[in-house]
Amino acid sequence: MRPNQASKTAGLVAFLRACGDLGLSTVPGYSDPTAQALMTPPFDGYFRWIKRAARVVGPKRLANLVRERRLDSVPLRTMAIDAALREALALGATQLVMLGAGLDGRAHRMDELADVTVFEVDHPSTQAEKKKRAQGLPKRCKDLRYVSVDFEREDVASRLAEAGHEPKQRSVFIWEGVIVYLTDQALRATLQSVVVSSAPGSRLLAQYRQPSTADEEARLQTMVAKMGEPHIGPRTPAQLAQALQEVGLRVLSDTSGVEWAFRFGATGQIAPTTANTRLVVGERS
Ligand SMILES: C[S@@+](CC[C@H](N)C(=O)[O-])C[C@H]1O[C@@H](n2cnc3c(N)ncnc32)[C@H](O)[C@@H]1O
């Protein structure tokens, strides 16, 4: 991330969620009514333009026009994580820790969090933007606490403890769209913090990106490098499984965007971005 600048890729993800909410993905039933309010510049400007275009040509026609632009990937990963989150809550998690929360709207859109304390953990620059933008949104969770942490330099477990996170209660951790930006050292230190902060039965839902073809890697790297946030860590399923197991997290599942596309009934072509995005679910024994 660029020093003193909120994450641009967090803005991009909020933009893609807002596009999904507008009906521009092919994932049936996808919605995120919070995404538009949380979006940062320049994406809010692009989105206003897209909304005008959707009014003129209709969302379905616009969706057909932009189908190859990989608009299913973020809605699908959001739905896969929401489903895994609901499962963890049904099993008794009372705390949700969002690692690298960005402009995620779950605390403001999921009624299932009514009895849950949410800890949004993020880099201080991004979090300052998020706090401003979330002010006007109602909370759907029991309590929302912001915890600012740089994963490369600080200890997540002690920052969570300072914010009142209870390691003896069952938690669910979401780590979405972050791992690819982190060094191995930050990856392992954060996993260690997850375990230190977790009661048995707690779950980690970690989304990551596996390496793609040389062409696709080059395309993605060009895009994110322009935003000052290079993808330094695409990782294989075997690497992620090993990292989880090393700290004592049992791997329950590891699924890909291809599986989610079938599960959630997406009808668009499966783009490489979708095929290479994955979600590993680990459990603290
Ligand atoms: C692509 S965004 C994803 C945000 C959110 N999880 C989502 O899916 O909408 C990447 C997030 O990782 C955070 N991040 C990147 N490097 C970080 C670091 N070293 N410490 C803390 N947060 C970091 C950014 O601030 C940003 O919120």
Side-chain angles (χ1 to χ4, degrees), residues 2 220-231:
R2 290 193 173 124
L220 281 172
Q221 292 297 1
T222 307
M223 182 179 72
V224 291
K226 273 191 204 148
M227 295 188 234
E229 295 167 48
H231 279 185

Side-chain angles (χ1 to χ4, degrees), residues 43-55 62 66:
F43 301 102
D44 50 356
Y46 303 157
F47 189 69
R48 279 195 292 277
W49 184 88
I50 285 184
K51 260 175 88 176
R52 279 202 294 275
R55 254 183 255 133
L62 187 62
V66 292

Side-chain angles (χ1 to χ4, degrees), residues 89-156:
L89 295 173
L91 290 169
T94 55
Q95 304 176 105
L96 166 61
V97 180
M98 307 204 44
L99 298 164
L103 303 167
D104 186 300
R106 287 189 174 88
H108 305 278
R109 72 170 168 82
M110 290 187 76
D111 290 330
E112 295 89 336
L113 298 175
D115 297 325
V116 175
T117 301
V118 177
F119 297 83
E120 288 202 2
V121 179
D122 208 343
H123 194 281
S125 321
T126 311
Q127 194 159 76
E129 275 296 324
K130 172 63 173 294
K131 276 181 172 168
K132 264 198 272 172
R133 275 154 217 285
Q135 262 169 14
L137 293 175
K139 290 186 195 77
R140 305 274 178 221
C141 54
K142 186 167 99 182
D143 194 8
L144 173 57
R145 302 186 195 170
Y146 292 104
V147 187
S148 69
V149 177
D150 182 342
F151 297 131
E152 296 290 347
R153 292 185 178 80
E154 293 173 283
D155 178 44
V156 178

